[in-house]
Amino acid sequence: MNVLLCSINTLKGLYDISGVEVGQHLYWKIGGFQVHAQVLITSWVVIAILLGSSIIAVRNPQTIPTDGQNFFEYVLEFIRDVSRTQIGEEYGPWVPFIGTMFLFIFVSNWSGALVPWKIIQLPHGELAAPTNDINTTVALALLTSVAYFYAGLTKKGLGYFSKYIQPTPILLPINILEDFTKPLSLSFRLFGNILADELVVVVLVSLVPLVVPIPVTFLGLFTSGIQALIFATLAAAYIGESMEGHH
Protein backbone atom coordinates (compact mmCIF):
# COMPACT_ATOMS: atom_id res chain seq x y z
CA MET A 1 0.00 0.00 0.00
CA ASN A 2 2.83 2.38 0.87
CA VAL A 3 4.50 1.68 -2.49
CA LEU A 4 1.23 2.35 -4.29
CA LEU A 5 0.73 5.65 -2.44
CA CYS A 6 4.29 6.73 -3.23
CA SER A 7 3.73 5.91 -6.91
CA ILE A 8 0.50 7.89 -6.96
CA ASN A 9 2.17 10.86 -5.27
CA THR A 10 5.06 10.70 -7.75
CA LEU A 11 2.68 10.68 -10.71
CA LYS A 12 0.71 13.55 -9.20
CA GLY A 13 3.94 15.53 -8.77
CA LEU A 14 4.86 14.95 -12.42
CA TYR A 15 1.40 16.04 -13.50
CA ASP A 16 1.59 19.21 -11.38
CA ILE A 17 4.99 20.09 -12.86
CA SER A 18 3.66 19.64 -16.38
CA GLY A 19 0.51 21.66 -15.77
CA VAL A 20 -0.13 25.01 -17.41
CA GLU A 21 -1.68 27.95 -15.60
CA VAL A 22 -3.51 30.22 -17.98
CA GLY A 23 -4.29 33.86 -17.25
CA GLN A 24 -2.59 34.00 -13.83
CA HIS A 25 0.42 36.23 -13.22
CA LEU A 26 2.51 37.57 -10.36
CA TYR A 27 2.40 41.35 -10.70
CA TRP A 28 4.99 43.91 -9.61
CA LYS A 29 4.59 47.67 -9.57
CA ILE A 30 7.60 49.42 -11.14
CA GLY A 31 7.49 53.16 -11.75
CA GLY A 32 3.73 53.23 -11.90
CA PHE A 33 3.60 50.31 -14.35
CA GLN A 34 2.23 46.86 -13.61
CA VAL A 35 4.53 44.14 -14.96
CA HIS A 36 4.54 40.34 -15.00
CA ALA A 37 7.14 39.46 -12.37
CA GLN A 38 7.65 35.87 -13.49
CA VAL A 39 8.59 37.02 -16.98
CA LEU A 40 11.13 39.49 -15.61
CA ILE A 41 12.67 36.84 -13.35
CA THR A 42 13.13 34.26 -16.10
CA SER A 43 14.28 36.95 -18.56
CA TRP A 44 16.97 38.01 -16.09
CA VAL A 45 18.09 34.37 -15.83
CA VAL A 46 18.31 34.09 -19.62
CA ILE A 47 20.21 37.38 -19.87
CA ALA A 48 22.60 36.22 -17.13
CA ILE A 49 23.26 32.98 -19.07
CA LEU A 50 23.98 34.92 -22.26
CA LEU A 51 26.21 37.47 -20.52
CA GLY A 52 28.07 34.75 -18.63
CA SER A 53 28.63 32.80 -21.86
CA SER A 54 29.89 35.95 -23.61
CA ILE A 55 32.34 36.70 -20.79
CA ILE A 56 33.67 33.14 -20.93
CA ALA A 57 34.01 33.36 -24.72
CA VAL A 58 36.08 36.56 -24.75
CA ARG A 59 37.98 36.11 -21.50
CA ASN A 60 41.02 34.39 -22.99
CA PRO A 61 40.82 34.15 -26.81
CA GLN A 62 43.43 31.94 -28.48
CA THR A 63 44.95 32.15 -31.96
CA ILE A 64 44.31 28.42 -32.23
CA PRO A 65 40.85 28.13 -30.68
CA THR A 66 40.00 25.53 -28.06
CA ASP A 67 36.79 23.50 -27.99
CA GLY A 68 34.80 26.21 -26.16
CA GLN A 69 36.09 29.00 -28.38
CA ASN A 70 35.36 26.87 -31.45
CA PHE A 71 31.75 26.54 -30.36
CA PHE A 72 31.25 30.28 -29.85
CA GLU A 73 32.96 31.08 -33.15
CA TYR A 74 30.68 28.58 -34.88
CA VAL A 75 27.61 30.28 -33.37
CA LEU A 76 28.90 33.68 -34.54
CA GLU A 77 29.55 32.38 -38.05
CA PHE A 78 26.08 30.84 -38.15
CA ILE A 79 24.46 34.16 -37.19
CA ARG A 80 26.62 36.03 -39.71
CA ASP A 81 25.59 33.60 -42.45
CA VAL A 82 21.90 34.12 -41.65
CA SER A 83 22.36 37.90 -41.70
CA ARG A 84 24.41 37.89 -44.91
CA THR A 85 21.95 35.63 -46.72
CA GLN A 86 18.90 37.72 -45.86
CA ILE A 87 20.31 41.29 -45.77
CA GLY A 88 23.10 41.19 -48.33
CA GLU A 89 26.50 42.86 -48.36
CA GLU A 90 25.47 45.50 -45.82
CA TYR A 91 24.72 42.88 -43.18
CA GLY A 92 27.61 43.81 -40.86
CA PRO A 93 25.94 46.39 -38.58
CA TRP A 94 22.90 44.12 -38.14
CA VAL A 95 24.71 41.01 -36.91
CA PRO A 96 24.45 42.05 -33.21
CA PHE A 97 20.71 42.69 -33.51
CA ILE A 98 19.94 39.45 -35.37
CA GLY A 99 22.25 37.52 -33.04
CA THR A 100 20.60 38.96 -29.94
CA MET A 101 17.15 38.01 -31.22
CA PHE A 102 18.21 34.49 -32.12
CA LEU A 103 20.15 33.76 -28.92
CA PHE A 104 17.56 35.27 -26.57
CA ILE A 105 14.71 33.28 -28.13
CA PHE A 106 16.82 30.11 -28.38
CA VAL A 107 18.00 30.19 -24.75
CA SER A 108 14.52 31.22 -23.54
CA ASN A 109 12.86 28.30 -25.33
CA TRP A 110 15.44 25.79 -24.13
CA SER A 111 15.25 27.08 -20.56
CA GLY A 112 11.51 26.46 -20.65
CA ALA A 113 12.06 22.89 -21.86
CA LEU A 114 15.04 21.92 -19.64
CA VAL A 115 14.74 23.95 -16.43
CA PRO A 116 12.06 22.69 -14.01
CA TRP A 117 10.73 26.20 -13.36
CA LYS A 118 7.43 24.93 -11.95
CA ILE A 119 9.15 23.42 -8.91
CA ILE A 120 9.53 27.01 -7.68
CA GLN A 121 6.15 28.02 -6.30
CA LEU A 122 4.86 31.57 -6.69
CA PRO A 123 1.86 33.20 -4.96
CA HIS A 124 0.25 33.60 -8.38
CA GLY A 125 1.11 32.22 -11.79
CA GLU A 126 4.21 30.16 -12.50
CA LEU A 127 7.74 30.51 -13.80
CA ALA A 128 8.20 29.55 -17.44
CA ALA A 129 10.21 30.55 -20.51
CA PRO A 130 9.97 34.31 -21.18
CA THR A 131 8.69 33.56 -24.68
CA ASN A 132 5.64 31.85 -23.11
CA ASP A 133 4.24 35.33 -22.42
CA ILE A 134 2.73 37.05 -25.44
CA ASN A 135 3.98 40.40 -24.13
CA THR A 136 7.57 39.19 -24.66
CA THR A 137 6.92 38.00 -28.20
CA VAL A 138 5.12 41.26 -29.03
CA ALA A 139 8.06 43.26 -27.64
CA LEU A 140 10.53 41.26 -29.76
CA ALA A 141 8.35 41.73 -32.84
CA LEU A 142 8.05 45.50 -32.22
CA LEU A 143 11.83 45.76 -31.87
CA THR A 144 12.11 44.06 -35.24
CA SER A 145 9.58 46.50 -36.69
CA VAL A 146 11.54 49.49 -35.33
CA ALA A 147 14.75 48.04 -36.81
CA TYR A 148 12.93 47.52 -40.12
CA PHE A 149 11.88 51.17 -40.39
CA TYR A 150 15.23 52.42 -39.06
CA ALA A 151 17.12 50.45 -41.72
CA GLY A 152 14.95 51.85 -44.51
CA LEU A 153 15.11 55.45 -43.30
CA THR A 154 18.87 55.27 -42.72
CA LYS A 155 19.47 53.92 -46.23
CA LYS A 156 16.99 56.02 -48.22
CA GLY A 157 15.93 58.92 -45.99
CA LEU A 158 12.38 60.16 -46.42
CA GLY A 159 12.40 58.68 -49.91
CA TYR A 160 11.87 55.35 -48.15
CA PHE A 161 8.15 56.12 -47.89
CA SER A 162 7.83 56.31 -51.67
CA LYS A 163 7.65 52.52 -51.73
CA TYR A 164 4.13 52.73 -50.34
CA ILE A 165 2.84 54.16 -53.63
CA GLN A 166 4.71 51.74 -55.86
CA PRO A 167 3.87 50.44 -58.39
CA THR A 168 0.63 52.45 -58.10
CA PRO A 169 -0.81 54.80 -55.43
CA ILE A 170 -3.90 52.58 -55.29
CA LEU A 171 -1.84 50.07 -53.28
CA LEU A 172 -1.04 52.61 -50.53
CA PRO A 173 -3.44 51.14 -47.91
CA ILE A 174 -2.33 47.57 -48.67
CA ASN A 175 1.38 48.45 -48.47
CA ILE A 176 0.90 50.24 -45.12
CA LEU A 177 -1.16 47.34 -43.78
CA GLU A 178 1.55 44.90 -44.83
CA ASP A 179 4.23 46.73 -42.84
CA PHE A 180 2.09 46.84 -39.71
CA THR A 181 1.08 43.19 -39.91
CA LYS A 182 4.68 41.97 -40.08
CA PRO A 183 5.39 42.36 -36.35
CA LEU A 184 1.95 40.95 -35.55
CA SER A 185 2.62 37.82 -37.59
CA LEU A 186 6.08 37.40 -36.01
CA SER A 187 4.64 37.67 -32.51
CA PHE A 188 1.75 35.26 -32.96
CA ARG A 189 3.89 32.76 -34.89
CA LEU A 190 6.42 32.51 -32.04
CA PHE A 191 3.88 32.60 -29.20
CA GLY A 192 1.51 30.16 -30.92
CA ASN A 193 4.21 27.58 -31.61
CA ILE A 194 5.49 27.64 -28.03
CA LEU A 195 2.00 27.47 -26.53
CA ALA A 196 1.14 24.55 -28.82
CA ASP A 197 4.26 22.65 -27.68
CA GLU A 198 3.32 23.12 -24.02
CA LEU A 199 -0.27 22.02 -24.56
CA VAL A 200 0.85 18.88 -26.42
CA VAL A 201 3.18 17.93 -23.56
CA VAL A 202 0.44 18.53 -20.97
CA VAL A 203 -2.02 16.32 -22.83
CA LEU A 204 0.53 13.52 -23.29
CA VAL A 205 1.61 13.66 -19.64
CA SER A 206 -2.06 13.30 -18.67
CA LEU A 207 -2.50 10.24 -20.92
CA VAL A 208 0.84 8.46 -20.65
CA PRO A 209 2.83 10.13 -17.83
CA LEU A 210 6.07 8.13 -17.89
CA VAL A 211 6.60 7.04 -21.51
CA VAL A 212 5.60 9.53 -24.20
CA PRO A 213 6.78 12.90 -22.74
CA ILE A 214 10.49 11.98 -22.95
CA PRO A 215 10.77 11.86 -26.78
CA VAL A 216 8.32 14.78 -26.96
CA THR A 217 10.73 16.83 -24.84
CA PHE A 218 13.56 16.18 -27.30
CA LEU A 219 11.23 17.10 -30.16
CA GLY A 220 10.35 20.29 -28.26
CA LEU A 221 14.04 21.19 -27.98
CA PHE A 222 14.43 20.77 -31.73
CA THR A 223 11.34 22.82 -32.58
CA SER A 224 12.39 25.51 -30.08
CA GLY A 225 15.64 25.97 -31.96
CA ILE A 226 13.78 26.07 -35.27
CA GLN A 227 11.44 28.75 -33.91
CA ALA A 228 14.40 30.92 -32.90
CA LEU A 229 15.97 30.44 -36.33
CA ILE A 230 12.71 31.31 -38.14
CA PHE A 231 12.23 34.48 -36.08
CA ALA A 232 15.83 35.63 -36.67
CA THR A 233 15.68 34.76 -40.37
CA LEU A 234 12.41 36.64 -40.90
CA ALA A 235 13.71 39.63 -38.93
CA ALA A 236 16.83 39.74 -41.13
CA ALA A 237 14.71 39.29 -44.26
CA TYR A 238 12.45 42.21 -43.28
CA ILE A 239 15.47 44.45 -42.63
CA GLY A 240 17.04 43.44 -45.93
CA GLU A 241 13.76 44.12 -47.73
CA SER A 242 13.53 47.55 -46.13
CA MET A 243 17.04 48.45 -47.27
CA GLU A 244 16.34 47.27 -50.80
CA GLY A 245 13.11 49.25 -50.91
CA HIS A 246 10.89 46.70 -52.59
CA HIS A 247 8.44 43.97 -51.58
Side-chain angles (χ1 to χ4, degrees):
M1 180 64 71
N2 290 334
V3 173
L4 179 60
L5 289 175
C6 290
S7 300
I8 293 173
N9 290 332
T10 301
L11 292 176
K12 185 177 183 300
L14 289 172
Y15 180 80
D16 291 339
I17 290 175
S18 66
V20 176
E21 293 188 30
V22 179
Q24 298 187 25
H25 301 284
L26 176 64
Y27 293 104
W28 283 349
K29 288 280 189 178
I30 299 179
F33 294 96
Q34 188 170 262
V35 299
H36 294 174
Q38 75 272 14
V39 178
L40 286 181
I41 294 171
T42 52
S43 295
W44 291 337
V45 172
V46 171
I47 292 170
I49 293 173
L50 292 174
L51 287 178
S53 301
S54 301
I55 292 172
I56 293 173
V58 302
R59 183 180 55 183
N60 187 25
Q62 302 292 328
T63 304
I64 301 176
T66 58
D67 293 339
Q69 187 176 337
N70 268 327
F71 172 75
F72 288 113
E73 289 185 1
Y74 172 78
V75 173
L76 177 60
E77 284 300 318
F78 176 77
I79 294 170
R80 290 179 63 185
D81 286 342
V82 171
S83 303
R84 183 189 298 112
T85 302
Q86 300 300 325
I87 298 176
E89 294 303 319
E90 299 178 85
Y91 74 96
W94 294 101
V95 171
F97 178 79
I98 302 301
T100 299
M101 287 290 170
F102 173 77
L103 292 174
F104 180 81
I105 296 172
F106 184 88
V107 176
S108 294
N109 290 351
W110 272 48
S111 72
L114 296 177
V115 179
W117 292 113
K118 294 166 188 174
I119 293 178
I120 304 174
Q121 299 295 320
L122 298 178
H124 301 284
E126 62 186 16
L127 294 176
T131 43
N132 274 29
D133 193 301
I134 194 170
N135 295 291
T136 303
T137 61
V138 168
L140 294 174
L142 288 176
L143 282 174
T144 302
S145 185
V146 170
Y148 170 82
F149 286 107
Y150 174 79
L153 290 171
T154 302
K155 180 73 178 294
K156 297 182 176 298
L158 295 178
Y160 165 78
F161 295 106
S162 64
K163 72 170 189 173
Y164 290 114
I165 58 174
Q166 294 176 357
T168 171
I170 298 176
L171 295 179
L172 174 63
I174 297 176
N175 289 335
I176 293 176
L177 183 62
E178 180 186 357
D179 271 357
F180 281 95
T181 54
K182 284 175 180 176
L184 187 65
S185 66
L186 276 176
S187 174
F188 279 101
R189 180 181 290 112
L190 178 60
F191 177 73
N193 289 337
I194 293 173
L195 182 60
D197 285 345
E198 281 222 350
L199 292 177
V200 168
V201 171
V202 170
V203 171
L204 291 176
V205 167
S206 301
L207 297 176
V208 194
L210 296 178
V211 181
V212 178
I214 295 175
V216 170
T217 298
F218 288 109
L219 178 62
L221 292 175
F222 175 74
T223 57
S224 295
I226 295 298
Q227 290 159 16
L229 176 59
I230 290 173
F231 192 101
T233 301
L234 288 176
Y238 292 159
I239 291 172
E241 176 184 293
S242 174
M243 296 174 71
E244 291 176 2
H246 63 78
H247 294 275

